Amino acid sequence: MSITRRTLLLGAGTGAVAVLLAACTPEPQPKPTRTTPVPRPTAPPAVPAPAAWARSTWSTDPYSFGSISYLPAGADPQQRATLAEPIGDRLYFAGEALDPDHPGTVLGAVDSGRSAALALIVAAGEKERVAVVGAGAAGVVAARMLADANHDVTIFEARDRSGGRILSKSGDDWPIPAQLGAWLISDEQLTALHDRITTLGEKQIVLDTATGWSKDGAVDTVAGQSIAQAIDKAKSLPSDLPLDKALTQNGADPDDPALAAALAWQTAITGADPAKASSWYPPAFPADTLTGMGEDLGGFFDKHLKDQEITLASPVVRIAYDDSGVSLRLGTGEALSFDRVVVTVPLGVLQQQGIEFAPALPFSHRGAIAALASGFVETVWMRFDKLFWDAEQAIWHVVGGAGLIRTWLNLMPVTGEPVLVGIVGGPEAEQFAALSDRDARAAARAALEFFAPTPQGGS
Ligand SMILES: Cc1cc2nc3c(=O)[nH]c(=O)nc-3n(C[C@H](O)[C@H](O)[C@H](O)COP(=O)(O)OP(=O)(O)OC[C@H]3O[C@@H](n4cnc5c(N)ncnc54)[C@H](O)[C@@H]3O)c2cc1C
């Protein structure tokens, strides 16, 4: 793999926001305002500080602006396919948001990368110069296929690493690499990847027991029946209601802590905000058993990038295209010409206009970008010096309370070490991503209060 490092130009045309301070008329004379202090999360003393800690911030990351795509109420799955249509046989799009069958997953990203590469190979002549924008799963798979078809491929990646929304942190701190992006994959999806002659890795861990936990101790694990019933009824309504409205219309109580915990679980795995998600094309309710990859997933990318030309830390800020080819401008100001380009940047980046297209994309593509939703999921890994909880189950759901993170994975049973993984989705994930590291630690510890030996706020 040949890697060129370039200077990362932060904000150089990549959706940088200019903040303009407007002059105000001094009438009436403003009184000095007392700023209401924002309450900082405080960690309960019974939950110890972690010995090791890692967290994601995909929601605020300018190269993802979100975690997982989903269909909001009113959107149509066909809009994913629309976005995947090549423009003038020069501009191809790929990425998890475009895959009709497994959107929001690594498998979907791989399949969309394959589809874009195949379509390009059919349209192209021999040994063309092809650019691939983005070195996530879709980008590296597309690049591999294009290089294997004897094209001259260059990959441009904004970050100083490949992998995109797959990010493993290995090292002595963790019994298995801390996974800050995708790592949970069903057996069916693992087999599907295998059928495509690829694999994310060999080692898996299985998390197959679950419990709910309230301030009074263990309660039943969460279930999705009331959500499934509401969705069933909503399907016969004349218009597509957001999931939360479909639930209230069906008589569910939004203040019911068990329902809130079930929705938090669904949102943590799918990123779909219940206040926006379609009830006609709803997010799937998670399975009772989770299988997670237990190794560094960087190997997947190294394999696909072997002998490929990849330029890291090089955000593409503008793509001009016409009948004869494409021209890419990088954040450094450098411009390069290619015959064709595959753009695999996340939906969130397209929505925030992280890349300028010239001419502007067709209405059909802009309509699809605006119609789809980019959901938020954040994760936090914490290793403790010693066990402080008394729960053997692998999946925990916090029922009630005010904690920000309501889904926890207990890795003690599978790794033999006191490691907890918190997963939060939707608006709470955005909130969590916006916290400073110190406040995020406090918020994560506060969310664990029901599991501490002396439950805080217990009756
Ligand atoms: C917290 C989290 C948990 C998840 N959990 C799971 C899971 O358990 N199972 C599952 O199957 N899926 C999961 N997903 C979804 C999965 O990660 C994605 O579907 C998949 O990795 C997306 O791959 P991609 O290639 O489409 O996009 P990405 O991986 O985002 O790749 C796009 C690349 O484009 C780059 N880029 C962005 N802007 C520019 C630019 N201007 N110029 C150049 N490059 C640019 C980015 O840096 C990135 O490397 C999760 C996602 C998150 C965030």
Side-chain angles (χ1 to χ4, degrees), residues 120-121 124-130 145-153:
L120 192 154
I121 289 166
E126 285 196 7
K127 201 160 175 58
E128 291 198 352
R129 277 169 52 79
V130 181
M145 285 177 66
L146 291 164
D148 289 350
N150 209 25
H151 291 297
D152 187 0
V153 180

Side-chain angles (χ1 to χ4, degrees), residues 55 59 376 378 404 424 426-436 440:
R55 73 186 276 222
S59 314
F376 302 108
E378 301 297 352
L404 209 49
V424 53
E428 285 79 12
E430 260 188 294
Q431 240 175 293
F432 188 69
L435 293 176
S436 69

Side-chain angles (χ1 to χ4, degrees), residues 125-162:
E126 285 196 7
K127 201 160 175 58
E128 291 198 352
R129 277 169 52 79
V130 181
V132 173
V133 182
V140 300
V141 166
R144 178 80 270 150
M145 285 177 66
L146 291 164
D148 289 350
N150 209 25
H151 291 297
D152 187 0
V153 180
T154 309
I155 307 164
F156 295 93
E157 168 53 52
R159 302 176 209 264
D160 60 3
R161 62 167 183 87
S162 60

